[in-house]
Amino acid sequence: LRTLGQAYTQLTQQEQATATAFFSTYKERINNYLGQVFRTPFQIDNVVHVPPQGRATQSKIGYKLTIDGQDISFDPNEPYSAKDCLSEGDKSTIALAFFLAKMDIDPGKANKILVFDDPLSSFDSNRRLYTVQLIKDLFPQIKQTIILSHNEYFLYGVSKGFARGDRKTLRISENFVTRASKIESLDLDELVEIEYFKHIKELEDFLQNADINQKDKVLGHMRNILEAHIRFKFYRQTSGIPENSRTFGNLIDKLVQQNVVFRNDTNPPSIITKLRIINAISCKPHHGEPVPNYREIGVNPN
């Protein structure tokens, strides 16, 4: 018993020395993320090792949190209280800094599966950008990474630069009638594709397999594509139109007023005429109104 007692004392001292060294490195890594990566005014200080107590088997960390060198209190009645100093995004940032620092010094991370559950919650745009890069930097160090999120653009940002064979996107699809859900594959690239290209693809499909029941939808797509194309190609000529007045008809009028030159076309009025016909036919259906007056427009609806 005396021998074991002596050994226990020695092991306790070794544990304390090891823990102190570990937490010192841990503190440096945490503060690096808080100060250098996320650019927050928060830091941790007075890091101490709290040995396991009772039936506990793991050590804990004791520390204080500061903002611009001032101690943050967890008493709401004190100045610099956590309630006044920390937003939800700040709390998430501090928690993520602790987690990432722990991953940095984990010797077994190469064999681990890492799960991020909606890590962008309450983050501003800068912290979102930093988080995307931090997660991507972890990929080569981890066996597998699983990211759960409601934000498809965040997931797309994380996936950029990786081959399709190295990533897989799944979505939980819910049937509200049967109160059941299923996991299905999802094309992330298609999900975040801007409407301009989506509408062009739908028009191409319509040309290959026209369905007259889709007429109003197709007219709306044509209108949206042409509006976007004119605003981009003739930006300088149309930039003077107030934002709330940039309708398809006003864009066409501005092209006429500016005497724009269309590429490879010696007869601009013919293009203007076609644009006006498309505008006249698509205007009412696009805004959910009845069928246009084809006779007034001078167009055979057939």
Side-chain angles (χ1 to χ4, degrees):
L1 185 60
R2 189 179 296 109
T3 301
L4 289 174
Q6 292 173 347
Y8 177 79
T9 301
Q10 184 178 3
L11 287 171
T12 301
Q13 293 171 346
Q14 292 175 355
E15 178 197 35
Q16 182 64 37
T18 302
T20 299
F22 173 87
F23 283 125
S24 176
T25 303
Y26 192 28
K27 170 190 170 183
E28 290 176 4
R29 295 304 304 159
I30 292 170
N31 284 336
N32 178 70
Y33 280 115
L34 290 175
Q36 302 302 317
V37 178
F38 293 116
R39 306 288 182 180
T40 74
F42 308 108
Q43 294 280 282
I44 66 167
D45 201 1
N46 290 10
V47 175
V48 295
H49 168 230
V50 182
Q53 299 176 353
R55 295 186 178 183
T57 59
Q58 291 187 338
S59 297
K60 294 183 179 180
I61 181 174
Y63 65 94
K64 72 175 182 180
L65 192 62
T66 67
I67 176 171
D68 293 327
Q70 300 289 334
D71 291 358
I72 294 178
S73 170
F74 289 92
D75 182 344
N77 298 317
E78 292 289 326
Y80 295 102
S81 70
K83 179 181 178 181
D84 295 331
C85 294
L86 302 177
S87 67
E88 290 302 314
D90 292 331
K91 295 174 186 176
S92 298
T93 301
I94 293 168
L96 184 58
F98 270 71
F99 177 76
L100 293 171
K102 188 176 180 181
M103 290 302 305
D104 285 348
I105 56 181
D106 186 342
K109 61 184 175 183
N111 295 317
K112 290 188 174 180
I113 296 175
L114 185 59
V115 180
F116 283 100
D117 187 2
D118 214 0
L120 294 189
S121 178
S122 305
F123 278 8
D124 59 30
S125 57
N126 286 332
R127 291 178 184 175
R128 289 193 191 105
L129 184 64
Y130 299 149
T131 302
V132 167
Q133 191 56 51
L134 287 169
I135 292 176
K136 295 179 77 166
D137 290 343
L138 280 172
F139 284 176
Q141 308 173 43
I142 306 294
K143 189 175 185 68
Q144 184 181 25
T145 305
I146 300 171
I147 304 171
L148 311 175
S149 179
H150 298 284
N151 189 325
E152 63 268 26
Y153 295 99
F154 159 63
L155 295 175
Y156 179 72
V158 172
S159 70
K160 285 177 67 175
F162 295 94
R164 283 183 173 267
D166 294 333
R167 57 184 170 95
K168 188 173 185 65
T169 309
L170 302 172
R171 174 172 60 185
I172 297 177
S173 176
E174 185 170 1
N175 186 323
F176 294 98
V177 177
T178 61
R179 292 194 171 185
S181 59
K182 63 179 180 179
I183 297 178
E184 58 187 8
S185 295
L186 175 69
D187 188 334
L188 191 58
D189 294 334
E190 183 177 323
L191 185 66
V192 300
E193 189 174 45
I194 64 174
E195 286 190 344
Y196 180 85
F197 294 109
K198 285 183 180 178
H199 291 168
I200 287 179
K201 289 180 180 179
E202 290 189 43
L203 289 186
E204 291 287 354
D205 292 339
F206 182 80
L207 288 176
Q208 298 300 320
N209 186 23
D211 178 1
I212 194 61
N213 294 320
Q214 300 294 317
K215 173 178 65 66
D216 290 349
K217 180 179 178 182
V218 167
L219 285 172
H221 287 352
M222 289 174 62
R223 187 183 182 89
N224 291 341
I225 288 170
L226 288 168
E227 280 185 12
H229 185 73
I230 291 171
R231 291 178 65 171
F232 174 75
K233 185 173 179 61
F234 301 102
Y235 172 78
R236 294 178 64 187
Q237 292 89 338
T238 60
S239 59
I241 303 175
E243 190 63 36
N244 59 353
S245 301
R246 292 192 178 189
T247 62
F248 191 26
N250 286 342
L251 287 170
I252 297 171
D253 290 341
K254 183 60 72 172
L255 295 181
V256 175
Q257 294 170 11
Q258 295 286 334
N259 293 319
V260 299
V261 177
F262 296 103
R263 186 177 60 184
N264 299 332
D265 187 78
T266 56
N267 187 17
S270 67
I271 289 183
I272 295 296
T273 298
K274 293 173 184 176
L275 288 176
R276 291 199 186 282
I277 291 174
I278 292 174
N279 178 43
I281 293 175
S282 65
C283 184
K284 288 188 175 182
H286 180 69
H287 294 287
E289 298 182 27
V291 176
N293 187 333
Y294 290 105
R295 180 177 297 178
E296 181 181 311
I297 298 171
V299 173
N300 184 338
N302 296 321

